[in-house]
Amino acid sequence: MAWGGTGSITMGVDPDETHDGTDLQGPLESCGKGPGTADGSVPFACVRVRRAELAVRGYAERVHPDGPGSGSAPPGPARTGTGSARPPATEEFRTVSVPRRPYVLLVTLFVLVIGCSAGAVQTSDPSAPRGAAGPGASPAPPRVVEPFVAPAEIPDLGPETRAQIPVTARQALVVTGQGPDSNRSAVALYSRDDAARGWRPGAGPWPAHNGMEGWTDHHVADDLRSPVGVFGLTDAGGRLPDPGALLPYDEQSRFAVSGEGFLGEPLEGSFDYVVAINYNRTPGTSPLDRTRPLGGERGGGIWVHVDHGGPTQGCVSLTEERMRELLLTLDPAKYPVIVMGDAASLAR
């Protein structure tokens, strides 16, 4: 460190320099022995601080030999023009101008001390990436990935049958016959209120009867078989008053029936409650409507009605209690359908 001709301090800088501190006129009170000096020498950063302290003290004595406020100035060549007696700055020397006010000197000294102290701070693991968790930090919880669950399908239905169910349908009455020539079957109600979850069982299975001769893919009039397929359920009616059906309900005395079934059982009361199956009929009309879009030879008047204890001519029959429950459940806003056929046909 040397004084420049204009009141500046020039300090020699060697980044790898250490010092034994013998010419520093006193102990290095503001900086202890730094890391990495196994021989006990003083790191240059601390020597620089001490030299700055001594330089500032000496400069203050030269500027104010009689104490602060004396107004004297250090001797030296006057500053003229742009020139000065300042030594040139090289790789070995840097010139640091020293302010001429004591409080500014103190601020400068404070900054140097802070810089030295900050340079001595070292992390426990210099090679660790910034922001890395310390050895005592808890590991992050494992990320839970929910497995994909496909929407549930109605059991025992094959792809061909499922493809016939409209995407808008949210209720399905499934009638599964025991065999292609059997007149006994089981009925279950399914709902699909959430497309992501798929079909859910709602009621059943309930015992039922179907056509006397079983099932057919091509129903014709008087074949005594029930048609296989998926059909809409849009209209209801019966001889008895409306029990609170959600579907349009047509109460008519014309639903009265008499006589005997195939097994000699009475048919009376069989049409007290009915739900029309939209096979060869016009949706939105009374179940009693006899319009046949496919022609009269293809049959018609296929209903879900009250069971009379025996096989039907092609309809599906349930107990009166189940018919009432069905009328209170089938909702036109959910576009209910009936999926009907023997088990083998439905599995296609």
Side-chain angles (χ1 to χ4, degrees):
M1 176 181 296
W3 287 98
T6 59
S8 61
I9 303 173
T10 303
M11 296 185 291
V13 178
D14 182 351
D16 299 322
E17 178 185 352
T18 59
H19 201 282
D20 59 6
T22 55
D23 67 338
L24 301 182
Q25 304 179 18
L28 299 179
E29 299 174 354
S30 60
C31 186
K33 302 279 184 172
T37 55
D39 58 354
S41 60
V42 181
F44 176 73
C46 297
V47 172
R48 182 176 58 185
V49 173
R50 183 57 175 169
R51 285 177 173 175
E53 294 175 355
L54 297 176
V56 169
R57 185 183 306 168
Y59 178 75
E61 292 174 355
R62 293 174 59 192
V63 173
H64 303 291
D66 299 326
S70 62
S72 60
R79 187 185 303 269
T80 60
T82 58
S84 68
R86 179 179 306 175
T90 66
E91 292 182 359
E92 298 180 343
F93 291 91
R94 286 204 303 257
T95 301
V96 180
S97 297
V98 178
R100 298 181 179 275
R101 295 183 180 275
Y103 66 85
V104 177
L105 296 176
L106 293 177
V107 171
T108 303
L109 179 61
F110 176 76
V111 172
L112 290 173
V113 172
I114 291 298
C116 180
S117 300
V121 176
Q122 181 175 327
T123 60
S124 58
D125 183 5
S127 62
R130 183 171 298 180
S138 301
R143 184 178 179 182
V144 178
V145 179
E146 294 292 337
F148 172 75
V149 179
E153 299 287 356
I154 297 174
D156 304 321
L157 298 186
E160 182 179 323
T161 303
R162 290 198 302 266
Q164 298 179 56
I165 301 176
V167 294
T168 56
R170 291 186 287 143
Q171 285 181 324
L173 189 67
V174 181
V175 183
T176 306
Q178 293 181 1
D181 301 321
S182 173
N183 56 47
R184 291 186 176 273
S185 50
V187 176
L189 181 64
Y190 290 84
S191 62
R192 181 170 58 180
D193 295 325
D194 184 351
R197 297 181 62 191
W199 290 100
R200 302 291 174 176
W206 305 319
H209 281 100
N210 52 274
M212 176 69 180
E213 300 297 331
W215 300 89
T216 180
D217 289 319
H218 188 81
H219 176 73
V220 294
D222 302 324
D223 66 359
L224 301 181
R225 290 181 179 271
S226 299
V228 175
V230 178
F231 310 100
L233 300 174
T234 57
D235 304 285
R239 184 183 67 84
L240 297 179
D242 183 357
L246 300 178
L247 297 174
Y249 187 88
D250 181 27
E251 179 187 347
Q252 290 278 352
S253 60
R254 293 167 56 197
F255 284 105
V257 65
S258 60
E260 294 181 348
F262 294 108
L263 304 179
E265 75 281 9
L267 298 177
E268 184 178 357
S270 297
F271 304 146
D272 284 354
Y273 298 121
V274 307
V275 175
I277 296 172
N278 290 350
Y279 167 80
N280 198 20
R281 71 177 298 269
T282 303
T285 62
S286 169
L288 294 170
D289 183 74
R290 299 185 66 84
T291 303
R292 303 291 181 253
L294 300 178
E297 70 278 5
R298 295 296 303 274
I302 308 296
W303 300 340
V304 182
H305 61 71
V306 177
D307 185 69
H308 46 74
T312 72
Q313 294 188 23
C315 298
V316 175
S317 60
L318 294 166
T319 64
E320 182 174 344
E321 179 184 359
R322 297 309 181 195
M323 281 301 302
R324 286 178 59 89
E325 182 178 347
L326 196 60
L327 287 169
L328 297 175
T329 304
L330 294 177
D331 185 351
K334 296 183 178 182
Y335 305 98
V337 296
I338 185 169
V339 182
M340 53 194 291
D342 60 280
S345 295
L346 296 182
R348 293 184 297 208

